[in-house]
Amino acid sequence: QGQLVESGGGLVQPGGSLRLSCAGSRSFFSINAMGWYRQTPGKQRELVASITSGGSTNYADSVKGRFTISRDNAKNTGYLQMNSLKPEDTAVYYCNADVSYYSGGRRYTRWGQGSQVTVSS
């Protein structure tokens, strides 16, 4: 079935930076669209940023100018660079990707395990 494995979460002070990684399985033939979501207790999971297979990006208004989503297709890995972090960015962050297992194959949605990001002084 494959998996997405996240890394890079942690504790950072306001104004600091953090970089999340989302590594895909070698069983994936290709990764199509990819995104990052975040969720806090009592809140709906929200889309933070997304990127297409061609590199086109979109961001939630709350993170525009501070977060950057990117991908390395050769490594089947996505990234979320988070700068100028604010306390309200505190959440569990989940990567998401639509993947295929062979050329022209059906696409499946896969999720990372979640990474805790805490912004606090």
Side-chain angles (χ1 to χ4, degrees), residues 12-18 38 62-67 81-89 119:
V12 65
Q13 294 184 343
S17 297
L18 216 54
R38 66 186 181 188
S62 59
V63 306
K64 286 181 180 177
R66 300 187 298 117
F67 289 13
Q81 178 68 45
M82 302 180 291
N83 298 325
S84 301
L85 283 161
K86 305 174 180 180
E88 53 262 43
D89 295 318
V119 185

Side-chain angles (χ1 to χ4, degrees), residues 3-24:
Q3 73 276 80
L4 297 173
V5 180
E6 299 181 31
S7 61
L11 174 66
V12 65
Q13 294 184 343
S17 297
L18 216 54
R19 184 180 180 88
L20 302 180
S21 297
C22 177

